Amino acid sequence: GENVEQHPSTLSVQEGDSAVIKCTYSDSASNYFPWYKQELGKRPQLIIDIRSNVGEKKDQRIAVTLNKTAKHFSLHITETQPEDSAVYFCAASANQAGTALIFGKGTTLSVSS
Amino acid sequence: DGGITQSPKYLFRKEGQNVTLSCEQNLNHDAMYWYRQDPGQGLRLIYYSQIVNDFQKGDIAEGYSVSREKKESFPLTVTSAQKNPTAFYLCASSMRATAFYNEQFFGPGTRLTVL
């Protein structure tokens, strides 16, 4: 089945710096790749997603890139702020219908001011 | 997110007891999911259901059971066969069981502790 690897497990940056989190997946049939943000004690929330027919997607300070040939995708956060501090999870769809997501183990991002 | 609820927020169970976690959604979503979250392990899929009266095992289904008798409800039973049940359990739902509508909305979670 699908396997998703996420790196790094922890990331510390200074306010204003950029942060990059990378994920690889194993199933070439995967076609949907969301990123979730989970603040301490709260539920995960979708921040951005990308489908296999595009290579990059941006939403203000966050962007996601996808390389289907290499089977990896990345989350880029620019001009980081303290409120970006959270755990970030990548995920990939486990089958053609894209119904069940397989998540990476998460990256704890700390932004210090 | 306000349309998906889980209860209780905290649950304590003695070893050897079964316990059922509730998940309800009023979003008219077809698909529902159960995940287990442990520190450093991310979210691991237990079961998911694409439609009423149908459900599929995820990666860690052993020791768990589910039912989907109504579209709005997807309860999870943690049985005594689950060897290490202490964890944070998250329920989620998505609009359609197709690739195009796969954004999953999560409930607030239930923290289960086995005493």
Side-chain angles (χ1 to χ4, degrees):
Chain A
E2 176 69 281
N3 183 50
V4 177
E5 298 283 342
Q6 182 172 348
H7 298 280
S9 57
T10 60
L11 180 58
S12 297
V13 300
Q14 289 287 114
E15 183 177 2
D17 288 349
S18 294
V20 180
I21 303 170
K22 299 181 179 181
C23 289
T24 59
Y25 62 98
S26 60
D27 188 350
S28 57
S30 291
N31 55 10
Y32 176 66
F33 308 93
W35 286 88
Y36 284 82
K37 174 183 181 182
Q38 187 178 28
E39 297 177 3
L40 190 63
K42 296 189 176 180
R43 70 191 79 186
Q45 293 196 311
L46 180 73
I47 56 172
I48 195 167
D49 58 13
I50 192 167
R51 300 184 188 276
S52 58
N53 57 344
V54 298
E56 183 175 4
K57 184 177 178 180
K58 289 183 179 180
D59 183 3
Q60 299 182 345
R61 295 187 298 108
I62 60 173
V64 56
T65 58
L66 171 65
N67 183 327
K68 284 216 71 182
T69 303
K71 290 190 283 188
H72 67 71
F73 56 111
S74 300
L75 178 71
H76 304 253
I77 306 174
T78 59
E79 301 173 19
T80 54
Q81 301 167 4
E83 51 264 39
D84 294 329
S85 297
V87 180
Y88 291 81
F89 294 99
C90 64
S93 60
N95 54 44
Q96 286 284 4
T99 56
L101 293 174
I102 302 300
F103 285 81
K105 293 186 176 182
T107 296
T108 300
L109 174 64
S110 300
V111 181
S112 53
S113 55
Chain B
D1 286 3
I4 180 165
T5 59
Q6 293 183 241
S7 62
K9 186 174 182 179
Y10 298 97
L11 187 57
F12 298 90
R13 189 195 90 177
K14 292 183 179 180
E15 281 193 33
Q17 289 181 338
N18 292 355
V19 63
T20 297
L21 282 59
S22 170
C23 178
E24 303 278 333
Q25 54 97 2
N26 62 4
L27 301 169
N28 199 32
H29 284 175
D30 286 335
M32 297 186 74
Y33 314 81
W34 274 105
Y35 295 93
R36 170 179 172 144
Q37 187 172 26
D38 297 282
Q41 292 296 315
L43 283 74
R44 291 183 291 170
L45 181 67
I46 305 173
Y47 269 99
Y48 66 102
S49 169
Q50 299 180 3
I51 199 168
V52 174
N53 292 323
D54 181 70
F55 47 83
Q56 308 293 329
K57 291 183 178 180
D59 294 331
I60 56 166
E62 185 176 353
Y64 300 98
S65 65
V66 294
S67 63
R68 187 83 188 277
E69 297 177 0
K70 298 186 300 181
K71 186 176 185 178
E72 305 79 23
S73 179
F74 191 40
L76 173 73
T77 297
V78 184
T79 75
S80 56
Q82 169 50 234
K83 296 178 181 177
N84 186 22
T86 294
F88 188 54
Y89 290 87
L90 285 161
C91 179
S93 68
S94 63
M95 188 185 300
R96 296 284 188 273
T98 64
F100 198 73
Y101 300 99
N102 208 38
E103 178 180 355
Q104 293 188 17
F105 297 85
F106 284 85
T110 293
R111 188 165 297 280
L112 173 64
T113 302
V114 174
L115 304 174

